[in-house]
Amino acid sequence: MKLRTRFGNKPGFFYPKTFWLSPPLLISVHLPKTAGSSFRGALESYFGEKLSLDYATRPINQSSHGRKASSLTAALQLACRYDDVGAACIHGHFMPIKYRWLKTAPRKKFVVWLRDPIERLASHYYYWTSDYNPDTAGLLRRQVVEQSWDLERFCFSSEMRNIYTQWVWGFPMRRFDFVGITENYASDLNYFARTILKSELPVTATNVNPLRPAERYIDDSGLRSRLEKFHQKDMRLYWRALEVSRRRQ
């Protein structure tokens, strides 16, 4: 009798038994200003030296075409090479498509955190303009600071439009195994720890803006309405994820 498997109809096509026993590789996408630094600390406490950080590419400082091309090139290279990443979790600023076909990890779980897109924009602006070092800043950040962009120009810029949608290009949101909401960080982190890691994680706050207002960065209803329309693709992603988060509580 010919051996057939769920992977196709080719006889004898199977993975070794250890494939089924090994835990999946966790791929954690850190979108800017979405509590990614706090989440990184939680992951470090759990994975230790098995946590690999990927902050080299800095997609936010690439053009739309550039980030797509570089991420897709990296994805195809990782799909063809048999390079062991030597990690149980990868976390950082990268587009998820980069690791979509990673050859050495047939089993992967992707996670990401989303924040109200308008508040994320404002937080990003104040972060970039409050602690500026031209020697380490990327091209776009230097442009924002040195050309003295105000908040509205930043929020309505083509570079910052629908950042979530730009980053998940080539990777449908349904492919994520967990989407957390920054505003529900403590409860969503507990849910992530229970369901994904089968463990517990500490709830800590890292890289928080000390000048952040008690309520919203943008409380002008007219401005917020215009921004929500300008970033409507990201708003739709966020609202869907927010509803899922609320049902978990």
Side-chain angles (χ1 to χ4, degrees):
M1 182 177 66
K2 294 182 179 180
L3 175 65
R4 300 181 185 274
T5 74
R6 56 174 294 200
F7 298 99
N9 293 322
K10 293 183 179 181
F13 186 76
F14 68 96
Y15 283 100
K17 189 175 183 180
T18 54
F19 165 78
W20 298 109
L21 299 178
S22 61
L25 174 67
L26 189 68
I27 309 291
S28 171
V29 180
H30 177 184
L31 293 165
K33 308 309 295 178
T34 59
S37 296
S38 298
F39 190 53
R40 167 181 167 176
L43 293 175
E44 286 176 336
S45 71
Y46 181 83
F47 289 103
E49 294 182 353
K50 286 294 185 178
L51 174 66
S52 175
L53 300 179
D54 182 356
Y55 285 93
T57 54
R58 304 173 78 179
I60 198 72
N61 286 298
Q62 297 176 286
S63 67
S64 176
H65 174 75
R67 72 170 64 99
K68 289 177 181 177
S70 61
S71 296
L72 186 56
T73 298
L76 295 176
Q77 290 174 342
L78 291 171
C80 295
R81 298 197 310 254
Y82 199 84
D83 294 341
D84 188 359
V85 295
C89 176
I90 300 173
H91 173 80
H93 288 321
F94 51 81
M95 294 172 67
I97 193 175
K98 178 178 180 178
Y99 293 104
R100 183 170 182 174
W101 303 291
L102 180 63
K103 188 173 184 179
T104 53
R107 299 179 64 215
K108 299 176 288 290
K109 287 193 175 182
F110 288 84
V111 304
V112 70
W113 290 81
L114 300 183
R115 178 182 183 181
D116 177 285
I118 311 308
E119 289 296 289
R120 194 216 65 80
L121 275 167
S123 177
H124 201 157
Y125 173 78
Y126 289 118
Y127 170 70
W128 266 13
T129 56
S130 65
D131 187 21
Y132 176 63
N133 183 344
D135 295 329
T136 58
L139 178 62
L140 181 58
R141 186 175 185 179
R142 293 200 302 270
Q143 182 180 356
V144 169
V145 176
E146 294 173 10
Q147 294 182 6
S148 301
W149 287 21
D150 62 16
L151 177 61
E152 285 198 37
R153 180 178 177 183
F154 180 85
C155 291
F156 283 108
S157 67
S158 59
E159 293 89 346
M160 288 293 157
R161 188 175 193 180
N162 294 312
I163 283 295
Y164 297 159
T165 305
Q166 290 190 53
W167 278 49
V168 299
W169 173 81
F171 195 93
M173 288 298 293
R174 65 178 180 274
R175 289 291 304 272
F176 283 99
D177 297 274
F178 170 82
V179 179
I181 296 296
T182 303
E183 292 85 347
N184 300 336
Y185 183 72
S187 59
D188 276 5
L189 181 67
N190 288 332
Y191 178 86
F192 164 82
R194 293 195 316 269
T195 59
I196 302 296
L197 300 182
K198 313 299 182 183
S199 183
E200 295 183 356
L201 288 176
V203 179
T204 58
T206 306
N207 202 23
V208 177
N209 182 2
L211 302 179
R212 178 182 177 181
E215 298 298 328
R216 290 182 168 183
Y217 280 106
I218 298 178
D219 56 9
D220 182 312
S221 60
L223 174 59
R224 182 174 179 88
S225 178
R226 288 189 292 120
L227 285 171
E228 287 184 356
K229 184 176 181 180
F230 187 73
H231 299 275
Q232 58 181 309
K233 291 182 179 179
D234 276 8
M235 292 305 304
R236 286 197 291 267
L237 289 181
Y238 174 72
W239 284 330
R240 287 198 292 268
L242 182 61
E243 182 57 33
V244 172
S245 175
R246 286 172 175 164
R247 290 200 296 267
R248 291 197 290 251
Q249 298 178 37

